[in-house]
Amino acid sequence: MSAPAMGTTKTSHNDVAPKKKRGPGALATAYLVIYNVVMTAGWLVIAVGLVRAYLARGSYHGLYYSIEKPLKFFQTGALLEILHCAVGIVPSSVVLTGFQVLSRVFLTWAVTHSVREVQNEDSVLLFVSAWTITEIIRYSFYTFSLLNHLPYLIKWARYTFFLVLYPMGVTGELLTVYAALPYVQKTGLYSVTLPNKYNFSFDYHTFLILTMVSYIPLFPQLYFHMIRQRKKVLCHVEEYKTE
């Protein structure tokens, strides 16, 4: 789990500075368009589910249960992005994309799903809300980019909303992991103690603490990277408009 991936921005697909590269073939492009449309729709379903549940209950407590299944499904569906990089239809780093995607999947399944006591925490709603808005924008951005018809509003949102959503998502993630610590320590969840036939030990509680500590160097690096990308992309658009 890492700040970039667990946060609300990903540097995969189109976040790299524009270069003249051959795009994917027609079949790959069609597949990627379908994939991104489906993922956009999926996160829209999650957004609508959150709003409907809030209006029905009149409270934001426990909203996680109203979107638990689609959240798990579509967040896990992001694993295909690693495959896209591996086979070369998306010009992004397999390692970086894998690191980012797997960290979110880890938070979804190995923390929020596995430690049921944290599912009512406000921090879960915080990162879920941040992820939802981010992914709707991100997959819309990829879809329109593949169709060579990217509205400026979506491009602007892609490189602006992260200023708030990234810290918001990271805060929710950290608070959720922190809330899970006492339950993990008490139950020994996913921990392996000695002696055992493999002569191997693993303390999941310590692993989660180290994960939280990893945010300290990683979060600022990727946040300021995205700020630099924002200046390059949006300034380039403004210069083009004034020519």
Side-chain angles (χ1 to χ4, degrees), residues 106-184:
F106 177 85
L107 184 67
T108 300
W109 289 99
V111 179
T112 310
H113 168 78
S114 300
V115 187
R116 300 192 65 85
E117 290 85 354
V118 305
Q119 294 174 2
N120 278 318
E121 293 287 333
D122 295 343
S123 58
V124 172
L125 181 61
L126 192 63
F127 78 72
V128 168
S129 299
W131 286 7
T132 301
I133 299 170
T134 297
E135 298 297 60
I136 291 171
I137 296 171
R138 187 171 73 92
Y139 287 115
S140 298
F141 177 89
Y142 296 156
T143 301
F144 284 108
S145 294
L146 287 163
L147 296 173
N148 295 315
H149 187 69
L150 178 62
Y152 176 76
L153 180 61
I154 292 179
K155 177 178 282 189
W156 178 87
R158 173 74 177 125
Y159 289 97
T160 301
F161 279 32
F162 81 89
L163 292 168
V164 174
L165 294 175
Y166 194 13
M168 174 180 165
V170 166
T171 301
E173 294 157 16
L174 283 172
L175 290 175
T176 300
V177 175
Y178 180 77
L181 289 177
Y183 301 103
V184 170

Side-chain angles (χ1 to χ4, degrees), residues 1 3 31 33 41 46 69-70 76 79 88 104 115 122-123 125 140 147 159 167-168 173 178 196 228 235 239 242:
M1 209 162 20
Y31 161 74
V33 168
I46 294 171
K69 290 182 179 179
T76 305
L79 289 170
R104 274 199 180 189
V115 187
D122 295 343
S123 58
L125 181 61
S140 298
L147 296 173
Y159 289 97
M168 174 180 165
E173 294 157 16
Y178 180 77
N196 58 68
R228 289 191 295 270
C235 286
E239 290 172 3
T242 57

Side-chain angles (χ1 to χ4, degrees), residues 9-19 21-22 24 28 31-33 35-37 39-40 77-94 96-98 100-101 135 137-146 158-159 225-226 229:
T9 59
K10 293 183 182 178
T11 56
S12 57
H13 294 332
N14 296 298
D15 285 340
V16 180
K19 291 182 181 179
K21 292 184 179 180
R22 290 185 59 187
Y31 161 74
L32 288 173
V33 168
Y35 172 79
N36 285 293
V37 167
M39 295 299 282
T40 302
L79 289 170
L80 286 173
E81 294 183 30
I82 304 174
L83 179 62
H84 298 164
C85 298
V87 299
I89 61 175
V90 171
S92 299
S93 165
V94 177
L96 180 59
T97 301
Q100 295 172 328
V101 171
E135 298 297 60
I137 296 171
R138 187 171 73 92
Y139 287 115
S140 298
F141 177 89
Y142 296 156
T143 301
F144 284 108
S145 294
L146 287 163
R158 173 74 177 125
Y159 289 97
H225 167 75
M226 287 300 297
Q229 288 299 107

